[in-house]
């Protein structure tokens, strides 16, 4: 059974930090580009960050660039999102997802709002709330 399980969400004050983790099982994790996306209010899913299968290439949305860092550990089958300098507008549900190999990484960036079906595998999400 394929699973992606996120953890690490919670309540944090503006300017604070959280580290999200995502544990993968049931598929060849090291072969997939991995993504973090988040729920856009009243809309679809907003792309946040991408990491390639080897972990050496990363991309970030302008809204999080310089504040968030994506990383992965293929031996542990985990992907992480370190979130610093958090803002109230970062409040939402965050999901990790494995990329569909039919779509290029650039496609995910350029598509705009995403849907769960755009990905090969999809987690259940973890809530992040940034509030004083």
């Amino acid at each position: 059974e394929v699973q992606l399980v996120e953890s690490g969400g919670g309540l944090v004050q503006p300017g604070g930090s959280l580290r999200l983790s995502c544990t993968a099982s049931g598929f060849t994790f090291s072969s997939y580009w991995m993504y973090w996306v988040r729920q856009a209010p009243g809309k679809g899913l907003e792309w946040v960050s991408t990491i390639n299968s080897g972990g050496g290439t990363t991309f970030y949305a302008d809204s999080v660039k310089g504040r968030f860092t994506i990383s992965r550990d293929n031996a542990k089958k985990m992907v992480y999102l370190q979130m610093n300098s958090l803002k109230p507008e970062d409040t939402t549900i965050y999901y990790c997802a494995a990329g569909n190999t039919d779509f290029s990484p650039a496609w995910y960036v350029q598509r705009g709002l995403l849907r769960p079906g755009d990905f090969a595998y999809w987690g259940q999400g973890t809530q992040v709330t940034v509030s004083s």
Side-chain angles (χ1 to χ4, degrees):
E1 179 187 7
V2 171
Q3 281 193 315
L4 286 170
V5 180
E6 300 94 337
S7 62
L11 173 64
V12 64
Q13 292 186 342
S17 298
L18 283 175
R19 188 194 194 202
L20 305 184
S21 299
C22 173
T23 304
S25 61
F27 65 102
T28 308
F29 176 76
S30 59
S31 296
Y32 286 81
W33 289 55
M34 295 298 296
Y35 297 78
W36 284 97
V37 298
R38 63 189 182 184
Q39 186 76 49
K43 301 178 182 178
L45 299 165
E46 175 190 17
W47 170 72
V48 174
S49 185
T50 304
I51 189 165
N52 73 330
S53 56
T57 300
T58 58
F59 302 99
Y60 299 93
D62 288 343
S63 59
V64 306
K65 196 173 296 181
R67 301 187 298 123
F68 291 10
T69 303
I70 190 172
S71 61
R72 67 189 295 162
D73 185 332
N74 284 342
K76 295 182 178 179
K77 298 183 180 181
M78 295 189 71
V79 61
Y80 307 97
L81 187 68
Q82 177 67 42
M83 305 187 297
N84 298 330
S85 302
L86 281 161
K87 304 175 181 180
E89 52 263 42
D90 295 318
T91 295
T92 189
I93 301 172
Y94 286 73
Y95 301 88
C96 71
N100 186 323
T101 54
D102 290 338
F103 304 140
S104 71
W107 183 88
Y108 287 97
V109 176
Q110 296 165 1
R111 178 164 173 81
L113 292 178
L114 297 162
R115 301 168 301 180
D118 294 333
F119 297 93
Y121 310 116
W122 183 250
Q124 86 290 348
T126 186
Q127 174 71 45
V128 171
T129 302
V130 185
S131 176
S132 54

